[in-house]
Amino acid sequence: MKKLIYKISFIAGLAIMLISCADDFLDQPVYGVLPADDYFKTEEELQEGVLSCYDVLQWAYAADWNSMYVVKSFPSDETHAGGGSDGDQPPYQQLDDFSYTAENKPIEHSFKAMYFGVMRANAIINIAKDDTPAKKQMIAEAKALRAFFYFELVSMWGGVPLRLKIPTASEFAMAKSTPEEIYAQIHKDLNEAIPNLPKKSEYAAAMRFRMSKGTAQAINGKAYLYQKMYPESADAFDDVITSNEYNLAPDYSKLFLKESEYGLESLFEIGYVTSAGYDWGNFQWGGNRAMENNVNWQLMGPRAASFVAGTSGLLPGWGFNYPTAKMADAFDAEGDMVRKNASILSVADLRSKYGGDWTEDWTIPNPVWGMEGYFRLKYGSLASETGTPVAELNYGTNVRLIRYADVLLMAAEANLLAGNVSTAQGYFTEVRDRVDLPVKIVTLDAIKTERRLELAFEGFRYLDLIRWGDAATVLKNQGFKKNGNFADKHNLYPIPAAEILNNNKMTPNPGWGN
């Protein structure tokens, strides 16, 4: 499917973009440009503003070394950070073994990006007039996006400043709101947005990256689930499931390939393209530049000096994000060969099935850090996902933020904990049926295992462990050196030091400093 290339040019010259300063988290004034109040008069102008909100997600997940994906993934037990040594990308290693601090740049980037999104959505919500049906829909999109950005913030950082308008200089300093206040605003935005959002099927194919009614309902359900409001969560997910807009794709092995983007199972994903034509001379690396492609898959391909691809379809990369042996063992323990074979490739299979090789012995200390005998296929550095002229700079793999299997498993969890056991059993069994696993009695532990296997390497595991209260037990001896342990303070990420410096009303999260 042809993808829309979202230009992350920040709609140059418009005051909406004044709220997106790279260094100070929120913007300083830029003089001599069109005031924001004079913009968003037409549907075309409003659409430019809405698309700039989606740009933020693209940039959040694919900005050089600072992807939000690594912040969510590396502290879990699914993968090791990887790299050439323990000194290769220290911020990654720190996420892997819980030695990160409030100065960690990927964490800072993630926090910053979500507020970029909040403030762009705020400009639309505060300025635009809903005087046509199209404008009403786009304002609803902005509210649903703001709710999503705030869900990311509250689930990762807890209480944060609740900014609902473009701040003046005197209003920039703002104290944290409580998590309860943030969640209340999330539900308010979503409940106002849902009636005015189209169904997924009502969007043209090229527009299916945008917020749909089902997307907003799923975010609502997830927010209630994180609040342990199980009946409300179950009801929200039921709205998604009974809409008949979504279904499980029949072939799990194709779910994360370009051919499945915005497909049957997709509720919300971030789009990247293979057609930007990047080479080493024009690639926009660093800062607030465009990221139309997902360069992270190049960073996370098997380390080139040690990897011989054979006919595996994997391209060599820079050697980060290797699956743990513990993750491979989890697939084996459940007898889950369908998802295992679609998600990871062992060195043994690389050699025996594809004629490739791995030239290092991962069982002894060696130059490839974090390698335990496996490579990722899900979100892997696949040649089929690239463009020209330089393959490693033109990966087009989309990031799936919400898909139907995740909705079914969250719905199973919410219904089980709300006392609707038969409904939970049905949703749980549906997910297992897709990968040919036998019927299993639904329990919370069974759902936890199913989420681990179904959603491996998608960036959900760490926050799941925290919300279940399992992180301290599961994440002992974490990291490649087995020297990291989850502590109480890790229930929340640290508020970035740069934010505390620039906002004198901001306070650190518990355990992260005075």
Side-chain angles (χ1 to χ4, degrees):
M1 179 185 296
K2 181 179 179 182
K3 295 184 215 170
L4 183 67
I5 299 178
Y6 320 133
K7 291 297 182 184
I8 203 162
S9 60
F10 301 165
I11 313 177
L14 302 182
I16 178 176
M17 298 305 115
L18 308 185
I19 51 179
S20 297
C21 170
D23 296 324
D24 294 334
F25 283 59
L26 303 175
D27 267 283
Q28 304 301 314
V30 177
Y31 298 100
V33 297
L34 182 68
D37 287 345
D38 291 337
Y39 206 63
F40 300 143
K41 300 296 186 186
T42 69
E43 291 175 3
E44 181 180 6
E45 290 172 347
L46 186 53
Q47 177 156 286
E48 287 178 341
V50 171
L51 294 184
S52 80
C53 297
Y54 293 101
D55 280 341
V56 167
L57 286 169
Q58 188 184 62
W59 176 69
Y61 275 78
D64 46 68
W65 297 98
N66 294 320
S67 170
M68 198 166 184
Y69 175 79
V70 307
V71 175
K72 291 184 172 185
S73 298
F74 287 171
S76 81
D77 57 346
E78 296 177 322
T79 61
H80 290 310
S85 69
D86 60 351
D88 192 353
Q89 289 303 312
Y92 284 10
Q93 309 291 346
Q94 293 158 10
L95 288 164
D96 198 11
D97 65 11
F98 297 111
S99 61
Y100 57 85
T101 68
E103 283 77 28
N104 183 275
K105 288 300 180 183
I107 292 176
E108 178 183 313
H109 168 80
S110 301
F111 187 92
K112 179 193 303 184
M114 293 303 97
Y115 270 110
F116 281 2
V118 165
M119 299 309 289
R120 292 181 183 191
N122 283 347
I124 293 165
I125 294 164
N126 283 277
I127 296 169
K129 305 297 184 185
D130 61 348
D131 50 14
T132 71
K135 288 183 181 180
K136 185 174 291 187
Q137 174 196 313
M138 287 186 278
I139 293 169
E141 283 182 78
K143 288 183 177 181
L145 284 161
R146 182 168 72 178
F148 180 80
F149 295 134
Y150 268 123
F151 175 77
E152 296 290 85
L153 286 162
V154 73
S155 63
M156 295 174 72
W157 286 276
V160 292
L162 183 58
R163 299 184 183 275
L164 300 177
K165 62 179 183 177
I166 303 171
T168 64
S170 63
E171 294 170 331
F172 175 77
M174 179 179 282
K176 296 176 181 176
S177 294
T178 65
E180 293 76 16
E181 290 168 332
I182 303 294
Y183 277 116
Q185 185 62 46
I186 289 169
H187 295 305
K188 180 177 184 294
D189 277 346
L190 291 169
N191 290 332
E192 291 176 359
I194 287 168
N196 297 313
L197 288 171
K199 297 177 180 179
K200 176 184 174 181
S201 60
E202 293 171 341
Y203 276 119
M207 292 289 117
R208 287 185 178 171
F209 67 90
R210 297 173 75 160
M211 275 283 173
S212 69
K213 193 181 299 291
T215 311
Q217 290 164 337
I219 298 166
N220 222 11
K222 189 171 184 178
Y224 281 127
L225 185 65
Y226 273 61
Q227 292 174 276
K228 304 186 186 304
M229 298 173 67
Y230 302 120
E232 293 86 350
S233 178
D235 286 346
F237 288 129
D238 187 61
D239 288 339
V240 179
I241 294 165
T242 59
S243 72
N244 297 316
E245 288 282 305
Y246 311 95
N247 211 329
L248 295 177
D251 188 346
Y252 186 88
S253 69
K254 295 180 179 179
L255 266 177
F256 294 84
L257 303 180
K258 286 189 292 184
E259 65 187 83
S260 299
E261 289 170 359
Y262 308 114
L264 190 64
E265 198 160 328
S266 173
L267 276 84
F268 195 33
E269 56 190 84
I270 307 171
Y272 298 96
V273 298
T274 61
S275 57
Y278 286 130
D279 59 33
W280 293 108
N282 65 14
F283 184 72
Q284 301 183 56
W285 185 272
N288 285 334
R289 296 184 177 187
M291 285 290 166
E292 287 92 2
N293 84 306
N294 200 335
V295 73
N296 275 273
W297 304 152
Q298 167 61 17
L299 306 184
M300 298 176 190
R303 194 165 183 85
S306 306
F307 180 70
V308 180
T311 58
S312 66
L314 280 173
L315 293 178
W318 297 350
F320 296 92
N321 201 17
Y322 291 109
T324 61
K326 185 178 177 182
M327 187 68 241
D329 292 343
F331 284 114
D332 292 338
E334 195 68 15
D336 187 0
M337 295 303 103
V338 172
R339 289 183 294 208
K340 180 182 181 182
N341 292 335
S343 301
I344 62 176
L345 173 66
S346 68
V347 170
D349 283 348
L350 173 68
R351 291 168 174 161
S352 65
K353 295 181 179 180
Y354 302 109
D357 198 11
W358 180 255
T359 61
E360 300 287 342
D361 181 354
W362 66 89
T363 65
I364 61 175
N366 64 77
V368 180
W369 192 256
M371 172 60 170
E372 293 184 344
Y374 298 92
F375 313 101
R376 280 176 309 99
L377 292 175
K378 183 191 282 190
Y379 284 156
S381 53
L382 299 171
S384 61
E385 300 292 294
T386 65
T388 56
V390 177
E392 57 260 46
L393 296 180
N394 291 282
Y395 277 99
T397 310
N398 286 5
V399 174
R400 278 65 168 178
L401 295 176
I402 307 174
R403 59 187 181 89
Y404 191 59
D406 185 15
V407 168
L408 287 173
L409 290 174
M410 288 190 290
E413 183 178 345
N415 276 280
L416 179 69
L417 296 173
N420 307 320
V421 179
S422 62
T423 302
Q425 182 71 61
Y427 296 151
F428 177 71
T429 299
E430 189 174 346
V431 176
R432 289 175 63 83
D433 281 349
R434 194 251 299 269
V435 292
D436 300 323
L437 289 176
V439 174
K440 184 178 184 179
I441 299 301
V442 67
T443 64
L444 184 56
D445 283 343
I447 291 171
K448 291 177 181 180
T449 297
E450 200 66 22
R451 285 187 65 79
R452 182 183 190 184
L453 304 179
E454 174 69 31
L455 304 171
F457 315 133
E458 295 181 43
F460 302 122
R461 171 75 171 164
Y462 183 55
L463 293 180
D464 275 349
L465 290 172
I466 290 173
R467 70 184 179 85
W468 290 327
D470 293 343
T473 300
V474 172
L475 300 177
K476 289 181 179 178
N477 305 315
Q478 179 69 5
F480 191 51
K481 287 184 177 180
K482 313 300 183 189
N483 62 339
N485 286 290
F486 182 94
D488 285 347
K489 71 177 184 178
H490 298 117
N491 281 298
L492 297 173
Y493 289 91
I495 300 294
E499 169 67 4
I500 293 174
L501 178 66
N502 286 296
N503 178 357
N504 60 23
K505 292 185 179 180
M506 179 66 87
T507 55
N509 275 337
W512 291 105
N514 297 323

